[in-house]
Amino acid sequence: CRQIFDNLGFTTEIGQLGKTKVFLRHPAFMKLNHAKDEATSVFALLLQSVGRACEARAGLFRQYVVRHKAKIIEERKRREEALRKQREEEAKRRKAEEEEAQRQARARMEKRIRSVVAIQRIVRGILARVGFVRRYVEDSRAKEEKRLDDGFQRFRTNFDDLDRRVKIIEKKQLEAETSKVTATQKTQENRR
């Protein structure tokens, strides 16, 4: 409001500004209405000229379209074809990327499977070797125990045989001694 007052050259005698209201005398009101009408007519002329320019451009465009309709249609078809090809290429590229991703996933899965099979093969080989060694050790232990048991049995048989012979020899010696003693006793008795 202060700026309008300054632009129109109002003094405090013609109009005053309050906090929420404007107080004008009749000459100031008339002067303000006249300024409003002038500004409206200037803006109306400006809007009319812009409207006429738009209308003229639209008319020229319509004329251009009529004259160059075939070219415009051809250009539109060419752009649509280019856009269609671009979309097709994009779809092919996406499809190729998806196929490549699937191929890589299959390759990774096959590699994992080969790794698992290799690990299983190694573990089975180790288990087979451990089983063979265990059986070999058990067989060797059994053979060694049998050999030792057979040796012990032979030793025991030989020892029993030797013990029996020793007992026979001791018995014969005892008999010989007793027969000597009895013979000496008989000879002593005979001497007496």
Side-chain angles (χ1 to χ4, degrees):
C1 286
R2 173 69 55 199
Q3 192 176 6
I4 293 172
F5 264 57
D6 291 342
N7 286 344
L8 293 176
F10 290 162
T11 60
T12 55
E13 297 164 0
I14 301 176
Q16 291 184 351
L17 290 173
K19 286 191 177 186
T20 59
K21 295 182 181 175
V22 176
F23 301 98
L24 298 174
R25 294 193 185 265
H26 187 67
F29 187 72
M30 293 303 286
K31 198 173 182 183
L32 188 62
N33 273 342
H34 181 64
K36 179 187 79 151
D37 290 340
E38 282 181 14
T40 304
S41 65
V42 167
F43 283 120
L45 285 174
L46 180 66
L47 283 173
Q48 286 174 356
S49 66
V50 168
R52 283 192 295 272
C54 285
E55 198 173 296
R57 276 192 222 100
L60 285 174
F61 182 72
R62 278 192 295 273
Q63 288 175 3
Y64 176 80
V65 167
V66 168
R67 286 185 193 150
H68 299 92
K69 187 174 185 178
K71 275 181 162 179
I72 292 170
I73 291 172
E74 185 63 33
E75 179 67 24
R76 183 185 300 157
K77 284 181 181 179
R78 194 166 33 83
R79 272 187 264 139
E80 287 174 355
E81 183 66 23
L83 186 61
R84 185 184 61 78
K85 284 182 180 178
Q86 182 182 2
R87 287 179 184 156
E88 286 176 356
E89 289 174 2
E90 182 67 23
K92 285 179 184 177
R93 186 187 59 78
R94 265 190 260 119
K95 186 176 180 182
E97 286 175 355
E98 288 173 1
E99 289 173 353
E100 179 64 19
Q102 289 174 354
R103 188 191 62 75
Q104 289 177 354
R106 278 193 305 274
R108 283 192 301 271
M109 184 58 74
E110 289 172 0
K111 186 176 179 182
R112 285 181 188 154
I113 290 171
R114 283 194 304 271
S115 298
V116 167
V117 168
I119 291 169
Q120 287 175 344
R121 187 175 352 113
I122 290 168
V123 169
R124 286 183 186 130
I126 290 171
L127 292 175
R129 284 189 287 279
V130 166
F132 173 76
V133 168
R134 187 175 289 145
R135 283 190 305 276
Y136 178 76
V137 167
E138 288 173 359
D139 290 346
S140 297
R141 186 177 296 143
K143 286 178 184 177
E144 184 65 21
E145 286 176 1
K146 186 174 186 320
R147 188 184 64 77
L148 290 174
D149 193 40
D150 289 346
F152 182 70
Q153 289 297 328
R154 278 194 307 272
F155 174 75
R156 183 172 218 138
T157 305
N158 289 340
F159 183 74
D160 288 344
D161 188 41
L162 189 62
D163 191 40
R164 187 177 47 81
R165 285 184 187 171
V166 167
K167 285 181 182 178
I168 291 172
I169 291 171
E170 285 177 350
K171 188 176 175 184
K172 284 182 183 179
Q173 283 179 349
L174 186 63
E175 285 176 3
E177 284 179 14
T178 55
S179 66
K180 274 186 185 180
V181 169
T182 55
T184 31
Q185 282 177 358
K186 281 186 187 183
T187 55
Q188 283 178 0
E189 277 183 20
N190 284 338
R191 283 191 196 168
R192 291 192 208 176

